[in-house]
Amino acid sequence: MSKDRSFSAVMARKQEIMKKSVGIDYEIFESGSISFDYERMMKETGYSLKEIEEIQKQTSVGNTPLYELRNITKLARKYAEPGKGARIFIKDEASNPSGSFKARRAATAVYHAQRLGYKGVIAATSGNYGAAVASQAAMRGLKCIIVQECYDSRGVGQPEIIEKARACEAYGAEVVQLSVGPELFYSFLLLLEDTGYFNASLYTPFGIAGVETLGYELSMQFREQEGRDPDVVVITNAGGGNLTGTARGLIKAGALDTEIVGASVSLAGLHMASDTQFNKKSFTTGHTGFGIPFATWPDRSDVPRSAARPLRYIDRYVTVNQGSVFYMTELLAQVEGLERGPAGNTALAAAFKVAQELDQDQIVVVQETEYTGAGKHILPQLTFAKENGIEILIGDPSQEIPGKNIILPKDPGHLCIEELDLEKTRKSYIRNCITNNNIDKATAEDLAFLIADTKSNEEFVRAALTELGIEVEMEAK
């Protein structure tokens, strides 16, 4: 007897579908309240860091070069106070087979799918991860389906997303393109159920563990080249996996004093699920439309418990405007001779300002680059913006209004960053934990979990719970 394929029926059995398609029983980590055993879930990959390095090496993933941006550093110092202007480095993840750091996530997930005997893999992504999964699947002889949220109701798709579809198809994947809306997850679940393929989700332990090699490798390279770890690592943040995996790798390397700075493009005022606003933005990833919702509720992802939990590791969170990232993309190409981005250059735009706060003997590293070209290039992006009624200006980027204009800085001195209130973000996360788990009393285990998951302390979490009217049974264990 065929199963009910209605939206409500498919969503009702999503846990069953996920368990079968990932090979993980998430219930064994649950406590029946807010908390769950995160580290145990991460160990569920069954692979050590060394084993993951070997897995990635099989398909030429990782061991990417580290460049010092001497010219950009020199430029940043022109706008810094005397003695300020840290050295800026960049980790060139564009040299991975599919052109981004996401090859690390895909390599681990696709290897695991092959090891378990799955015939194919499926991923829901409109970004670089699709190309990474398709590339790795081709290398390992597996079928691949990529599900994209691509079009608005007029059938108009963004140049960058269209480029990602082209890349996926070039690697032999089947691409399913959908319009913006709730049908993405529904269609994704149906495909998993119909094909029996592995869910190569961005948010499984396999994907996040794959990025740990980046953080570890980064630390080892700096110790060999500079004799120490970097002072600050700036990471483009969207769903949180990039930041989580890199930070965990740095911790495993023993780089405990390195500050982790998340950076997102500010799309304040735009709604990612809005059909009319879908094409009003010029970035498909690395923006606050993903960065804030996923930070304040990681488990909104396509697996029951997300392994990407950025608040566990982040020390500072800043935003930059769209125009500044496009500007830095041109600057990187014309001043350093590296054509990369644009999404990866979100971190570079932030690092340019962060470096000006630090002493000249300190080190800031931009954690990753990505490939550019075709629809990912800034020119088609800006052209598409103009076609959608967005005004392109040169001036003060702090005056940019997402969805109305894109303001390119009139000179490097006008590049700016805006601090996000991490305390407010952590409180939002705690509130979402209470609301989504329907909790009226927190246990000692819940308290300990929230302290760890927000990188805070007992006093902060207790105060946040009290504000919400939640009683805590006892002290954190």
Side-chain angles (χ1 to χ4, degrees), residues 235-260:
I235 305 170
T236 301
N237 186 58
N242 193 13
L243 192 148
T244 300
T246 300
R248 287 177 62 85
L250 285 164
I251 290 169
K252 289 185 176 181
L256 304 181
D257 295 326
T258 298
E259 183 181 14
I260 303 296

Side-chain angles (χ1 to χ4, degrees), residues 53 62-66 89-93 104 211-235 242 245-247 249-250 253 255 258-260 363-368:
E53 285 179 328
N63 194 29
T64 56
L66 190 67
F89 289 74
I90 199 164
K91 189 86 162 82
D92 192 23
E93 289 292 290
R104 295 178 187 263
V211 188
E212 290 180 7
T213 61
L214 200 170
Y216 186 87
E217 185 179 299
L218 192 155
S219 177
M220 294 300 108
Q221 285 176 309
F222 270 101
R223 289 175 187 177
E224 181 178 355
Q225 184 173 321
E226 300 294 326
R228 65 186 183 90
D229 290 316
D231 296 282
V232 179
V233 175
V234 186
I235 305 170
N242 193 13
T246 300
L250 285 164
T258 298
E259 183 181 14
I260 303 296
I363 291 172
V364 175
V365 57
V366 178
Q367 175 258 16
E368 53 100 6

Side-chain angles (χ1 to χ4, degrees), residues 95-213:
S95 61
N96 279 311
S98 59
S100 79
F101 83 94
K102 288 182 178 175
R104 295 178 187 263
R105 297 170 99 158
T108 312
V110 174
Y111 171 86
H112 190 70
Q114 182 185 47
R115 179 185 171 193
L116 294 182
Y118 287 86
K119 301 300 182 185
V121 292
I122 300 178
T125 169
S126 299
N128 289 330
Y129 188 57
V133 172
S135 170
Q136 290 297 308
M139 291 185 185
R140 294 198 177 275
L142 298 184
K143 299 288 185 181
C144 179
I145 300 174
I146 301 300
V147 185
Q148 281 190 330
E149 190 175 53
C150 185
Y151 300 108
D152 63 16
S153 58
R154 301 171 298 162
V156 176
Q158 293 188 359
E160 186 173 357
I161 299 177
I162 301 301
E163 158 63 14
K164 304 289 176 54
R166 181 210 62 77
C168 294
E169 289 174 340
Y171 292 123
E174 176 185 350
V175 179
V176 178
Q177 294 182 319
L178 303 171
S179 59
V180 61
E183 66 268 26
L184 176 71
F185 191 40
Y186 165 73
S187 301
F188 177 63
L189 289 170
L190 274 180
L191 282 168
L192 287 172
E193 193 169 55
D194 291 345
T195 62
Y197 286 178
F198 182 78
N199 176 11
S201 167
L202 282 159
Y203 304 104
T204 64
F206 311 108
I208 304 307
V211 188
E212 290 180 7
T213 61

Side-chain angles (χ1 to χ4, degrees), residues 421-437:
D421 187 342
L422 272 181
E423 182 173 302
K424 182 179 177 181
T425 305
R426 290 179 174 118
K427 285 183 177 180
S428 294
Y429 168 71
I430 293 170
R431 183 176 63 250
N432 284 331
C433 283
I434 298 301
T435 303
N436 290 298
N437 290 294

Side-chain angles (χ1 to χ4, degrees), residues 14-52:
K14 64 181 180 181
Q15 295 281 51
E16 170 194 336
I17 296 170
M18 285 297 172
K19 182 177 177 180
K20 186 176 181 180
S21 64
V22 178
I24 295 176
D25 182 0
Y26 283 88
E27 291 184 0
I28 66 175
F29 313 119
E30 300 289 349
S31 66
S33 57
I34 295 172
S35 67
F36 74 98
D37 195 335
Y38 176 68
E39 288 301 334
R40 184 184 175 194
M41 185 182 78
M42 290 305 297
K43 291 177 182 176
E44 187 70 12
T45 62
Y47 305 113
S48 67
L49 184 69
K50 184 67 175 176
E51 287 171 327
I52 292 174

